Amino acid sequence: MAEQPFVECRGVSKAFGNVSALHEVDVDLYRGQVLAIVGDNGAGKSTLMKILSGVHQPDRGTIKIAGEPIRIADPHQARELGIATVFQNLALVDQRDVAANLFLGREPVRAGIFVNRKAMREGARRVFADLRVHMPSLAAEVGQLSGGQRQSIAIGRATAQQGRIIIMDEPTAALGVQESQKVLDLVMRLKAAGTGVVIVSHNLRHVFSVADRIMVLRRGRRVGERLHAETTPDDIVKLIVGAGRE
Ligand SMILES: Nc1ncnc2c1ncn2[C@@H]1O[C@H](COP(=O)(O)OP(=O)(O)OP(=O)(O)O)[C@@H](O)[C@H]1O
Ligand SMILES: [Mg+2]
């Protein structure tokens, strides 16, 4: 578990106008490990995810990837660096089919210009087989699929981008019991395959079922980080609401 972190953030701060969304936050992400980030509404969780995925730039602080100081200029660069993100809104195109959504923006081409639909279907089949996700049809329009299927496509896209770290912002928030369980199973499979997963969630049962470490943000500050084995949901709730000792 404890080699060099793949991503190291130190002293990351971000303000929006006079709102301090993040204040000197440190966080380490490891491959093959699941880090959960929890905290009340407005604690800064999504802001931190957006900094890691190149959507926002920090005002202060440093980020290293594989030991190298780096500036993550935009989401495209984040993906090139091995950080793929499943955003809360999923960013799927409802009118296009499953396979097209899986390769959105990085479609395989043939003869230099035409989208290679056969390669796309084959790639999609492989991604879903690896994740053991059953997709009724790769030709189905994504707008017609269930919340869980849509979530699986967004996660599949992140894995197809070969993210060494995959960030998921509230992946189970809109899902029922069984579909949530499927997403949590996917998280465990990604971890087993050596991918680092960062999961933001308000559901502590979900958090405790997958996380190796749990980091708590409160009003933009990291108020604690616990190993799963050394904490309890009560302990985490105290940190979230500010009754802990840190
Ligand atoms: N683009 C933005 N412009 C202005 N303020 C923002 C922006 N993004 C976030 N904020 C503010 O920064 C703070 C942290 O927001 P953030 O979205 O990171 O919280 P969160 O922990 O993800 O909350 P939630 O659990 O509700 O998703 C909030 O006060 C929010 O209003
Ligand atoms: Mg959020």
Side-chain angles (χ1 to χ4, degrees):
M1 192 189 267
E3 352 91 59
Q4 187 192 30
F6 184 66
V7 180
E8 292 168 79
C9 296
R10 289 294 173 273
V12 167
S13 298
K14 176 77 182 172
F16 296 103
N18 50 22
V19 175
S20 170
L22 286 177
H23 185 77
E24 300 197 350
V25 169
D26 297 345
V27 62
D28 290 334
L29 312 180
Y30 294 87
R31 298 187 60 181
Q33 221 193 74
V34 180
L35 171 71
I37 300 189
V38 300
D40 255 333
N41 296 123
K45 305 179 298 295
S46 294
T47 303
L48 182 57
M49 300 305 92
K50 286 176 183 168
I51 286 173
L52 289 167
S53 34
V55 174
H56 291 320
Q57 296 301 313
D59 300 330
R60 287 194 310 281
T62 57
I63 300 177
K64 286 185 185 171
I65 294 189
E68 292 293 314
I70 203 107
R71 180 174 171 274
I72 308 175
D74 54 41
H76 175 76
Q77 195 192 353
R79 287 193 291 275
E80 306 248 291
L81 291 166
I83 301 174
T85 304
V86 182
F87 291 100
Q88 189 162 13
N89 64 12
L90 300 183
L92 298 175
V93 179
D94 283 350
Q95 295 74 27
R96 300 196 58 192
D97 70 24
V98 173
N101 269 277
L102 207 62
F103 291 97
L104 220 52
R106 3 178 326 278
E107 291 85 355
V109 289
R110 87 192 136 78
I113 44 170
F114 303 106
V115 172
N116 187 340
R117 300 196 61 80
K118 186 156 169 273
M120 213 154 74
R121 293 270 159 93
E122 275 163 12
R125 214 165 279 130
R126 210 173 319 118
V127 167
F128 290 125
D130 285 351
L131 292 173
R132 289 191 211 104
V133 165
H134 170 71
M135 231 2 107
S137 159
L138 296 177
E141 261 189 35
V142 158
Q144 327 248 311
L145 299 180
S146 78
Q149 290 167 334
R150 295 165 57 82
Q151 190 71 45
S152 299
I153 295 166
I155 293 172
R157 183 168 60 196
T159 64
Q161 288 161 353
Q162 314 218 301
R164 275 160 285 186
I165 299 283
I166 294 187
I167 295 174
M168 303 183 189
D169 197 349
E170 308 210 21
T172 59
L175 302 184
V177 175
Q178 292 194 354
E179 300 217 301
S180 293
Q181 191 54 50
K182 283 191 188 154
V183 169
L184 299 172
D185 291 345
L186 275 181
V187 169
M188 295 310 282
R189 255 179 244 131
L190 289 168
K191 167 183 149 118
T195 305
V197 178
V198 185
I199 180 168
V200 173
S201 177
H202 287 279
N203 185 319
L204 289 187
R205 210 178 54 73
H206 294 172
V207 164
F208 272 80
S209 73
V210 292
D212 297 294
R213 284 183 298 141
I214 302 166
M215 173 175 130
V216 185
L217 287 175
R218 185 168 75 245
R219 297 185 192 160
R221 291 168 193 262
R222 186 179 87 156
V223 292
E225 187 173 304
R226 300 284 188 267
L227 290 174
H228 181 160
E230 295 173 356
T231 190
T232 61
D234 275 355
D235 181 28
I236 297 297
V237 168
K238 282 184 185 139
L239 288 168
I240 291 172
V241 300
R245 280 178 296 146
E246 277 181 83

